[in-house]
Amino acid sequence: MLNTEIKEIDKYSLSQAKTLLENEELVVFPTETVYGLGANAFSDKAIKKIYEVKGRPSNNPLIVHVHTSYDIEKLVYIDHDYVYNLAQKFLPGPLTMVYRSKGVVSPLVCGLGTLAIRVPEHKGAQEFLKKVDMPIAAPSANISKHVSPTTAEHCYADLNGKVSLILQGGKSDGGIESTVLDCTKEIPVILRKGLITKEMIEEVCGKCEYATFVEGQQVSSPGVMYAHYMPNCQTALFKISEIDKAKELYLSFIKNGKKPYFMCDFQTKSVLGKEYNFLDLGSSSKECASNLYDKLREGERVADIIIAFEISYDDELSLSVMNRLVKACGKGLYT
Ligand code: TXA
Ligand code: MG
């Protein structure tokens, strides 16, 4: 068992982080999407620790995080010019691009000949990446399948005893993971929906596609296939048109002396009325993204069942939030 400490980001904690990473240990650090469980991307031994600590399937590749001034062509080939335009527009930020790998980082990080790279915008993440001066492979800093962490305290709850240092970066404002975009193709392909939407990408490079997922077929981003983001309590998910059915379920829990909570946005809350327990997601898709994981974790502490409603806002970011919510409610593959 390690003694786990949450530390403010300063020159002392950053020096400690660098020493830990050089010694092939793990460090948890903040980003604007979710917190990451970081390791030196060149070290097989360190990367193995990530998979062990998380209990993550080893065929699910990792994203490498670098500082804004890092020359990514040390790690990958840039095959298409649209990459430069996307980088100019969205980096640093919540966009992860997948390239052909040069094979210089640990093979345990890579997909099939590919490598995903992300340049996070969070000030603490940038300070951390600058100080440690190495590419950092990092998945979200939660136990595999559990809700992703958006605060240092969420990371502590999942990883206490398993890591020694969690860097404190406050609440991750974005709240859901980065968009993963395959940039090895002529037209970029969205492998995982996120904060940067298809519309935003198309504005920069004309065309962009969603990956299609066929049951039973190999996928290019294995992470999308797994049960994910699940709170440790019962969940149910309803369409807005199913409000009566959801209320029935709510009342059946009350009758049995249990504590149900509705989880929904403000638009749906105003239709439901005030006399219920609520986990509020907010009044826009952006707020719903920012609050989702925190509310799922709050739900598992206070509720016997989270009765969630689909997001009622009609925009692309809502699709990204729904992608997470459907998986959190154990509804399997939803791309
Ligand atoms: O916002 C984020 O992306 C966060 C923060 C910490 O940066 N990281 C994150 O990592 O969400 P993780 O490991 O939870 O999810 C990484 C996703 C998975 O769906 C994985 O399959 C995909 O990215 N991925 C990683 N490398 C890939 C590759 N070479 N090709 C295709 N997909 C890849
Ligand atoms: Mg994850």
Side-chain angles (χ1 to χ4, degrees):
M1 280 280 278
L2 296 170
N3 177 35
T4 305
E5 289 183 288
I6 298 178
K7 290 190 178 170
E8 293 298 327
I9 297 177
D10 57 25
K11 63 181 181 189
Y12 304 106
S13 60
L14 288 176
S15 289
Q16 186 191 354
K18 187 173 168 70
T19 306
L20 283 166
L21 291 163
E22 283 168 351
N23 291 329
E24 302 178 287
E25 300 293 340
L26 308 181
V27 173
V28 173
F29 65 100
T31 85
E32 71 277 17
T33 57
V34 301
Y35 277 65
L37 174 62
N40 179 351
F42 294 115
S43 162
D44 290 350
K45 185 175 160 194
I47 304 301
K48 275 191 193 141
K49 282 186 188 163
I50 289 183
Y51 286 98
E52 272 165 33
V53 161
K54 279 194 61 124
R56 179 181 173 108
S58 61
N59 62 342
N60 189 9
L62 300 172
I63 296 171
V64 166
H65 298 68
V66 297
H67 183 255
T68 38
S69 64
Y70 192 86
D71 174 14
I72 67 161
E73 288 185 85
K74 287 188 201 163
L75 307 179
V76 293
Y77 300 100
I78 297 177
D79 290 324
H80 300 287
D81 284 344
Y82 63 72
V83 167
Y84 299 103
N85 301 336
L86 289 171
Q88 170 115 40
K89 176 84 182 180
F90 298 119
L91 301 189
L95 177 66
T96 297
M97 292 195 261
V98 174
Y99 308 89
R100 245 177 346 116
S101 175
K102 287 190 173 168
V104 294
V105 298
S106 164
L108 303 173
V109 174
C110 300
L112 292 168
T114 58
L115 182 64
I117 301 184
R118 161 155 146 71
V119 187
E121 188 179 16
H122 190 287
K123 188 167 160 280
Q126 280 292 322
E127 284 174 43
F128 164 72
L129 291 166
K130 183 155 191 213
K131 172 71 183 183
V132 302
D133 195 25
M134 60 178 100
I136 297 294
S140 47
N142 52 282
I143 297 297
S144 196
K145 297 192 175 64
H146 193 214
V147 183
S148 299
T150 53
T151 66
E153 292 71 26
H154 293 165
C155 301
Y156 188 89
D158 275 24
L159 302 178
N160 182 20
K162 297 183 168 180
V163 296
S164 47
L165 178 60
I166 297 172
L167 294 173
Q168 175 61 270
K171 181 171 189 269
S172 301
D173 282 335
I176 59 170
E177 294 83 350
S178 63
T179 303
V180 178
L181 188 69
D182 184 351
C183 296
T184 65
K185 306 279 191 327
E186 207 68 48
I187 292 172
V189 179
I190 295 179
L191 301 177
R192 179 177 71 184
K193 294 189 180 87
L195 293 164
I196 306 285
T197 62
K198 182 163 180 276
E199 219 166 40
M200 292 160 77
I201 294 168
E202 282 178 337
E203 247 168 57
V204 175
C205 49
K207 222 171 164 203
C208 165
E209 288 168 357
Y210 286 126
T212 46
F213 299 95
V214 182
E215 204 82 44
Q217 231 177 51
Q218 173 88 23
V219 292
S220 38
S221 192
V224 299
M225 294 299 286
Y226 301 115
H228 247 103
Y229 320 120
M230 289 168 81
N232 300 320
C233 66
Q234 228 180 309
T235 53
L237 179 59
F238 288 98
K239 295 194 174 22
I240 312 291
S241 59
E242 296 174 316
I243 278 189
D244 290 343
K245 231 165 104 187
K247 281 185 178 170
E248 250 172 58
L249 180 64
Y250 187 101
L251 289 177
S252 74
F253 269 73
I254 294 283
K255 262 190 208 135
N256 290 321
K258 298 267 170 80
K259 254 194 148 180
Y261 274 73
F262 282 135
M263 193 169 85
C264 61
D265 57 43
F266 283 170
Q267 209 161 263
T268 304
K269 185 177 181 176
S270 66
V271 179
L272 280 161
K274 289 212 173 77
E275 64 274 27
Y276 302 98
N277 301 319
F278 281 104
L279 296 159
D280 289 324
L281 290 179
S283 54
S284 65
S285 55
K286 198 158 179 258
E287 282 182 23
C288 292
S290 183
N291 294 328
L292 178 69
Y293 292 144
D294 191 50
K295 290 296 160 184
L296 285 168
R297 282 180 182 255
E298 187 183 330
E300 69 184 6
R301 282 198 309 274
V302 300
D304 291 307
I305 184 170
I306 299 174
I307 304 176
F309 281 97
E310 65 182 9
I311 305 300
S312 66
Y313 305 111
D314 184 23
D315 56 22
E316 284 202 350
L317 183 54
S318 296
L319 298 179
S320 304
V321 179
M322 278 308 293
N323 168 289
R324 307 309 193 271
L325 184 55
V326 168
K327 285 182 194 153
C329 294
K331 299 294 177 201
L333 182 66
Y334 180 97
T335 58

